[in-house]
């Protein structure tokens, strides 16, 4: 059933969470396979699929440009979506929300538009050892461009306090590791960072899915996340930035709609948020994400998170029965990573795939962390509230069969 183009706000008063009801919203779960790879990308609810289909089937139009009826409606929906995102992370002014292609692009935007203009040789960027390449490479690139140095940090708070100095301009950290599931103490990190007049950049790609975030209360300067990990469409991301920082930043990409005036000699950039949104945005993605966020408000995520935590505990306790298993993830995390002695992680992935079980293996875009953990890759199971005990039992059975073949 298609939902209609004028997207209706759902009533958030009757929140609840019934696992099987929640699961029924995900058409991809109707086949025989078991999906345990949600940290790579989440499955999509019907609400999102319907809204996207409706846009492509009946109301295709551009945003912020044409003046015909559908175009005006699309423009309004894109604006409403921006407000929804602002509400979701507790930001009052939706001009502080920039659409990007994903977490990766959001962090690159900060590195190139903010960091590149303020960093001087021998300035320092403190980056945690847990980071995904998306929150490391943009800093490495800008360090090479400016002569600044990257300082490695374990996420220990005392260590941060001793590393940080007048040379530190940026502290970059994840909200939740995509390898260990560990969630650094953002409140404490924020206090130490700001006491030293540095800027805090948080990668919310995994954390935004499982932990409600209030970027204002935590006093985060820049916060990045991707829609596709939060049940939304691929190719869409968000950068939150404090207005005073965004205003002082130079534009990054040039093109349509990021300018007030242009001539062959010069241009005047648009105001926030448009000055960072050159070119036609991912309209279908934004409309799909709006529907996703609206749909998410129906569910009690405190209950959903408790359910996922129980499922994670169950999974880990079942996995622990396998001989010679080494875990890397923290307890209760929806992300479970491990290796089995003398078995290559990719062999496990291939044999599980033959049994219709989707997991992730490898370096998980975190080579420095793999080195620290002393391995070349891991097996990763990632759980969402749409998974259930049958999924886990099928996975455990398949693991037992796989180990019997490989050992
Ligand atoms: C912690 C973390 N940061 C950043 C990213 C990059 O996200 P995207 O590829 O959507 O930009 C990922 C994706 O796996 C991630 O897990």
């Amino acid at each position: 059933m298609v939902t209609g183009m004028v997207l209706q706000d759902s009533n958030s008063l009757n929140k609840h969470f019934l696992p099987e009801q929640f699961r029924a919203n995900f058409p991809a779960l109707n086949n025989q396979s078991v999906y345990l790879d949600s940290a790579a990308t989440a499955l999509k609810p019907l609400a999102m699929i319907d809204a996207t289909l409706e846009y492509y089937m009946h109301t295709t139009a551009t945003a912020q440009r044409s003046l015909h009826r559908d175009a005006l409606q699309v423009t309004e929906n894109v604006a409403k979506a921006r407000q929804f995102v602002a509400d979701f992370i507790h930001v009052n002014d939706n001009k502080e929300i920039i659409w990007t292609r994903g977490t990766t692009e959001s962090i690159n935007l900060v590195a190139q538009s903010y960091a590149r203009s303020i960093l001087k040789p021998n300035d320092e960027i403190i980056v945690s050892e847990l980071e995904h390449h998306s929150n490391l490479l943009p800093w490495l690139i800008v360090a090479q461009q400016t002569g600044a140095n990257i300082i490695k940090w374990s996420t220990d708070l005392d260590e941060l306090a001793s590393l940080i100095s007048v040379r530190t301009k940026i502290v970059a950290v994840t909200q939740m590791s995509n390898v260990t599931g560990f969630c650094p103490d953002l409140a404490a990190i924020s206090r130490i960072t700001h006491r030293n007049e540095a800027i805090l950049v948080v990668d919310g790609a995994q954390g935004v899915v499982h932990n409600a975030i209030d970027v204002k209360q935590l006093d985060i300067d820049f916060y990045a996340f991707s829609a596709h990990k939060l049940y939304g469409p691929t190719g869409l991301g968000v950068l939150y930035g404090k207005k005073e920082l965004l205003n002082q930043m130079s534009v990054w990409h040039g093109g349509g709609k990021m300018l007030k005036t242009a001539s062959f000699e010069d241009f005047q950039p648009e105001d926030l948020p448009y000055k960072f949104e050159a070119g036609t945005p991912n309209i279908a993605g934004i409309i799909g994400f709006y529907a996703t966020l609206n749909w998410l408000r129906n569910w009690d995520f405190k209950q959903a998170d408790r359910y996922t935590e129980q499922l994670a505990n169950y999974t880990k306790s079942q996995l622990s029965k396998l001989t010679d298993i080494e875990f890397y993830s923290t307890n209760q995390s929806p992300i479970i990573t491990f290796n089995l002695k003398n078995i290559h992680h990719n062999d496990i992935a291939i044999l599980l795939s033959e049994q219709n079980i989707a997991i992730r293996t490898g370096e998980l875009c975190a080579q420095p962390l793999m080195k620290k953990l002393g391995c070349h890759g891991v097996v990763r199971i990632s759980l969402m509230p749409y998974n259930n005990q049958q999924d886990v039992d099928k996975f455990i059975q398949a693991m037992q069969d796989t180990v019997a073949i490989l050992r």
Side-chain angles (χ1 to χ4, degrees), residues 319 322 325 338 340 348 352 355 357 359 379 381 393-405:
L319 274 173
L322 297 172
I325 186 163
F338 61 91
L340 289 167
I348 295 176
L352 287 183
Q355 298 166 80
I357 294 175
I359 60 155
V379 181
I381 309 307
D393 289 340
K394 281 185 197 163
F395 159 67
I396 295 292
Q397 181 61 55
M399 277 301 295
Q400 286 164 351
D401 296 346
T402 300
V403 171
I405 294 168

Side-chain angles (χ1 to χ4, degrees), residues 53-343:
L53 192 65
E54 168 69 6
Y55 171 71
Y56 280 129
M57 292 267 289
H58 302 298
T59 54
T60 302
T62 190
Q64 292 145 224
R65 285 155 172 83
S66 307
L67 295 176
H68 55 90
R69 197 186 49 216
D70 283 346
L72 293 176
Q73 187 62 63
V74 165
T75 301
E76 190 182 323
N77 286 341
V78 168
K80 280 181 168 176
R82 197 189 300 274
Q83 184 58 48
F84 249 52
V85 169
D87 293 344
F88 191 72
I89 60 172
H90 297 95
V91 169
N92 288 332
D93 187 346
N94 65 28
K95 292 189 181 62
E96 296 182 311
I97 303 294
I98 315 291
W99 297 121
T100 64
R101 288 191 300 136
T103 308
T104 304
E105 190 175 76
S106 297
I107 299 173
N108 275 282
L109 198 169
V110 178
Q112 289 303 312
S113 270
Y114 175 73
R116 197 173 176 179
S117 64
I118 60 127
L119 288 173
K120 306 218 165 26
N122 298 321
D123 277 348
E124 291 176 354
I125 309 167
I126 296 182
V127 182
S128 102
E129 289 175 328
L130 290 182
E131 298 313 305
H132 186 281
H133 295 156
S134 296
N135 202 19
L136 171 60
L137 272 288
W139 307 120
L140 275 174
I141 292 167
V142 77
Q144 285 170 4
Q145 289 164 334
T146 59
N149 297 315
I150 303 283
I151 307 294
K152 192 165 71 171
W153 158 55
S154 69
T155 71
D156 176 80
L157 296 175
D158 291 338
E159 191 192 344
L160 178 61
S162 70
L163 287 175
I164 203 162
S165 73
V166 285
R167 286 191 301 278
T168 309
K169 297 294 177 284
I170 293 161
V171 174
V173 70
T174 188
Q175 187 185 356
M176 178 192 264
S177 162
N178 65 312
V179 177
T180 65
F182 180 73
C183 298
D185 181 346
L186 292 183
I189 293 167
S190 178
R191 278 195 298 276
I192 299 169
T193 302
H194 292 124
R195 217 164 43 221
N196 290 273
E197 293 179 11
I199 290 297
L200 178 60
V201 181
V202 176
D203 171 354
Q206 298 293 340
V208 77
V209 183
H210 301 285
N211 301 323
I213 183 113
D214 185 330
V215 294
K216 288 290 179 192
Q217 196 186 19
L218 289 168
D219 199 15
I220 293 169
D221 297 287
F222 293 104
Y223 182 75
F225 68 95
S226 304
H228 73 99
K229 308 229 190 235
L230 188 58
Y231 309 96
T234 54
L236 180 71
V238 168
L239 174 67
Y240 155 76
K242 283 182 184 164
K243 200 160 47 180
E244 55 274 24
L245 294 172
L246 292 172
N247 271 328
Q248 93 183 42
M249 282 157 60
S250 53
V251 295
W252 185 32
H253 291 158
K257 291 291 166 187
M258 47 68 74
L259 57 110
K260 281 181 177 153
T261 58
S263 68
F264 272 83
E265 287 73 42
D266 205 1
F267 73 97
Q268 196 190 354
E270 238 320 347
D271 294 329
L272 290 176
Y274 306 108
K275 81 180 213 191
F276 295 113
E277 294 181 354
T280 303
N282 179 355
I283 299 169
I286 295 171
I287 288 190
F289 195 40
Y290 180 40
T292 311
L293 291 176
N294 196 30
W295 173 82
L296 282 175
R297 300 199 307 174
N298 293 322
W299 306 95
D300 181 339
F301 271 85
K302 281 211 174 83
Q303 275 188 51
D305 288 340
R306 268 198 301 277
Y307 168 82
T308 315
E309 200 176 295
Q310 281 167 7
L311 206 56
N313 289 343
Y314 175 70
T315 311
K316 199 164 175 186
S317 72
Q318 295 301 100
L319 274 173
S320 304
K321 294 178 188 161
L322 297 172
T323 46
D324 286 335
I325 186 163
E326 183 182 3
F327 289 102
Y328 306 103
S329 45
T330 54
N331 285 338
Q332 272 138 29
S333 161
I335 289 174
I336 300 171
T337 40
F338 61 91
N339 268 318
L340 289 167
K341 199 169 171 190
N342 297 331
I343 298 184

